[in-house]
Amino acid sequence: IRREYAWDRPSTVIHHGTDLQRFRPPEGAGEIKAIRSAFRVPDDAWLWLFIGEAAKGLREVIELLPRFPNARLLVISRSDLAPFQHLAKNNHSASRVHFHGPTPRPEDAYRAADTLVYPASYDAFAMVGAEAMASGLPVIVTDDGAARDFCDARTAFLVRSRRVAIAPGTGGLGPS
């Protein structure tokens, strides 16, 4: 507001709240196993979660997946997923991407996953980041997206740009 509208008066940012009863960590391995079974994901999978509109980074996540042969991706989205199914097929990761579509219980997806991967450069608030954190998930978000308002190097893994390249096993990041 200061930069774009030359606002020079004091201001306070009030973020959306997150329902901590609904978005909470899983109560144990049994709950995780049951939820993964409902999503048809193997119990022992290293499960990444992408939840939200596909335009908010799903392409980038699918493009990264071949670099992580042990990872699987659960996609919860109401977007048209056909182009992303085609992308996963073309990069030989289709068998590791679980396209679920929308769900009335997104809290289950958070409890099933091992990490949220959400490289959205634009999102008005990135509520999914707050919900994932409330669910006890580590989050990987971009430092140029809305999640930067409540995520920093202490609370999330921040990547420098929307198009990221992660070197497996090194933690190295940089633009692709």
Side-chain angles (χ1 to χ4, degrees):
I1 292 175
R2 288 185 179 110
R3 183 182 71 238
E4 298 296 326
Y5 299 103
W7 183 264
D8 62 356
R9 298 182 188 149
S11 60
T12 303
V13 175
I14 301 173
H15 297 291
H16 293 277
T18 302
D19 182 342
L20 298 179
Q21 299 299 313
R22 182 176 180 194
F23 297 97
R24 58 162 178 77
E27 293 179 352
E31 183 179 17
I32 295 169
K33 183 176 181 173
I35 295 170
R36 284 186 176 199
S37 176
F39 282 118
R40 298 175 195 225
V41 175
D43 293 344
D44 61 348
W46 175 30
L47 188 60
W48 298 2
L49 173 64
F50 178 90
I51 186 166
E53 298 301 321
K56 295 180 181 179
L58 180 56
R59 175 172 307 283
E60 290 78 5
V61 177
I62 292 173
E63 287 172 350
L64 283 174
L65 201 55
R67 294 182 172 185
F68 298 88
N70 296 327
R72 289 183 175 261
L73 175 63
L74 175 60
V75 178
I76 305 295
S77 180
R78 63 183 178 198
S79 300
D80 175 13
L81 296 174
F84 302 96
Q85 292 167 331
H86 183 72
L87 175 62
K89 183 178 179 181
N90 284 346
N91 77 5
H92 308 288
S93 62
S95 66
R96 297 185 295 120
V97 182
H98 305 269
F99 291 100
H100 187 272
T103 179
R105 294 186 44 88
E107 61 271 24
D108 288 341
Y110 293 111
R111 287 188 201 115
D114 293 306
T115 190
L116 172 75
V117 183
Y118 193 71
S121 289
Y122 171 79
D123 194 329
F125 176 68
M127 193 69 178
V128 298
E131 291 169 351
M133 291 168 75
S135 300
L137 279 183
V139 297
I140 301 172
V141 295
T142 55
D143 65 358
D144 61 350
R148 74 180 180 279
D149 289 343
F150 58 91
C151 293
D152 61 26
R154 295 171 299 142
T155 61
F157 191 68
L158 300 174
V159 294
R160 290 183 288 217
S161 72
R162 182 173 179 153
R163 298 189 55 83
V164 297
I166 302 174
T170 67
L173 296 176
S176 62

